[in-house]
Amino acid sequence: MMDPDYLPFHANPSKPEFKAPAGAVDAHCHVFGPADKFPYHPKRKYTPCDAPKEKLFALRDYLGFERNVIVQASCHGTDNAALIDALESAGELARGVAVVDPAITVEELEAMDKAGVRAVRFNFVKRLVDTTPKEVFLSVAEKIKSLGWHIVVYFEAPDLEDLTPFLNQLDTTIVVDHMGRPDVAKGVDHPDFQRFIDLMKNNDKIWTKVSCPERLTLTPPDYSDVVPFAKKLVELFPDRVLWGTDWPHPNMKSHTPDDGKLVDVIPMIAPTEELQQKLLVDNPMRLYWER
Ligand code: 0GY
């Protein structure tokens, strides 16, 4: 049973006004269950509503997107079966980000690669996962290197200072989820967000997803307070940004995000066709499809 205080995804999202360029990629979304086929992990911190691949692919088409990058979420732990199943169904239309146990073998990694996995995710968000020692993450980083995979990291702004030496130690491309989760009440010029900008300025292996206004906003469902943060990153790092819906929005309690309205934020953060092409097509294709 899904957690009672957690909202399910929007049943009837609006049709976006913004028309995504041909080949657009939703580079952050999940599949959950269905639980009777792909049970949730016994040590999960939340139980989501089922969000099966068919619903994700239907949403992709409805929103005018062509491809997905599906990210393993904590509720499935290191059991990537639902993710792999979705990737195998989607073929060239999806790539994946897995969460793996450090004991995983090279053969298992190669099988995941064949299914379309191109990255591993390191989750540092304390409400979602138990702490993993840095050495464990470093051993996984070492294992995935020869496959040409990269690393997706999820943390919250107060943890950035402590994590910076670790991030700079990794020698693959790193993608930071949701802009490192800034506190938007503090504003773009606050030292906390400047620290994130400096991280990207000082390390050109670091990319970020300018996603997740539904979680960062203080004024749901109006996302305008998040726009300056995402816009700034797109402006400064047009070749190292990705965008995603974050569907089915696990752990949402404030409101049910309308995915069409989330798509309509894109022209506010990437105001030119050139920036939209990079954000939605060129960057994700380079990172997840070309090798
Ligand atoms: C997201 C955000 C969240 C959850 C997870 O792995 C997860 O469970 O990433 C969150 O609760 O902020 O990107 O899906």
Side-chain angles (χ1 to χ4, degrees):
M1 267 282 278
M2 164 185 157
D3 293 341
D5 59 343
Y6 157 26
L7 297 164
F9 57 85
H10 204 296
N12 296 298
S14 56
K15 197 87 181 160
E17 279 170 38
F18 173 69
K19 200 175 164 335
V25 181
D26 173 354
H28 186 93
C29 49
H30 311 286
V31 285
F32 294 152
D36 56 359
K37 197 164 173 210
F38 302 110
Y40 299 113
H41 197 271
K43 290 196 180 149
R44 67 190 178 278
K45 307 280 187 200
Y46 65 90
T47 303
C49 61
D50 283 348
K53 61 185 177 184
E54 294 80 6
K55 294 259 185 211
L56 175 65
F57 301 151
L59 181 76
R60 172 198 69 200
D61 296 347
Y62 178 76
L63 296 177
F65 279 64
E66 226 161 86
R67 295 166 195 254
N68 296 115
V69 179
I70 308 173
V71 178
Q72 173 80 352
S74 60
C75 54
H76 274 300
T78 53
D79 178 355
N80 295 277
L83 167 68
I84 300 294
D85 176 69
L87 294 177
E88 285 173 343
S89 297
E92 276 309 294
L93 298 185
R95 292 291 186 255
V97 177
V99 174
V100 303
D101 188 275
I104 194 161
T105 64
V106 175
E107 291 71 29
E108 286 168 316
L109 288 171
E110 282 171 355
M112 283 187 175
D113 183 85
K114 209 157 164 236
V117 173
R118 293 292 180 268
V120 283
R121 190 181 198 209
F122 296 168
N123 195 336
F124 295 93
V125 178
K126 294 174 192 78
R127 73 185 153 79
L128 294 173
V129 286
D130 295 330
T131 307
T132 300
K134 302 268 170 28
E135 308 74 62
V136 171
F137 281 142
L138 288 173
S139 76
V140 173
E142 201 50 43
K143 275 194 180 172
I144 56 110
K145 219 190 312 183
S146 63
L147 290 159
W149 289 9
H150 63 270
I151 295 166
V152 173
V153 289
Y154 190 22
F155 59 81
E156 294 177 316
D159 297 321
L160 174 57
E161 194 170 3
D162 276 357
L163 275 176
T164 299
F166 171 75
L167 297 176
N168 286 329
Q169 212 177 329
L170 300 171
D171 53 12
T172 57
T173 295
I174 302 156
V175 180
V176 179
D177 279 341
H178 313 327
M179 305 186 279
R181 293 204 54 136
D183 176 353
V184 300
K186 291 179 171 167
V188 174
D189 297 325
H190 189 276
D192 283 3
F193 194 59
Q194 287 306 313
R195 181 177 287 123
F196 185 69
I197 289 177
D198 286 345
L199 176 82
M200 289 193 68
K201 274 193 180 149
N202 296 333
N203 185 342
D204 63 10
K205 293 195 299 297
I206 299 188
W207 294 41
T208 193
K209 292 175 195 160
V210 287
S211 48
C212 203
E214 80 278 17
R215 292 179 199 284
L216 301 175
T217 186
L218 301 173
T219 56
D222 173 1
Y223 304 133
S224 51
D225 55 349
V226 188
V227 166
F229 292 80
K231 188 164 186 264
K232 186 81 186 174
L233 294 172
V234 172
E235 210 170 85
L236 288 172
F237 310 108
D239 298 311
R240 288 189 271 146
V241 283
L242 303 168
W243 182 89
T245 53
D246 192 28
W247 187 89
H249 316 285
N251 297 309
M252 284 303 297
K253 294 181 178 129
S254 62
H255 67 299
T256 300
D258 175 336
D259 299 281
K261 297 275 186 261
L262 287 170
V263 171
D264 282 333
V265 175
I266 295 171
M268 296 180 223
I269 64 175
T272 67
E273 278 183 21
E274 192 189 345
L275 289 171
Q276 291 160 11
Q277 174 72 21
K278 284 175 185 250
L279 177 66
L280 300 172
V281 186
D282 299 350
N283 297 345
M285 288 308 289
R286 196 162 81 250
L287 191 59
Y288 286 92
W289 273 265
E290 291 159 22
R291 32 174 32 170

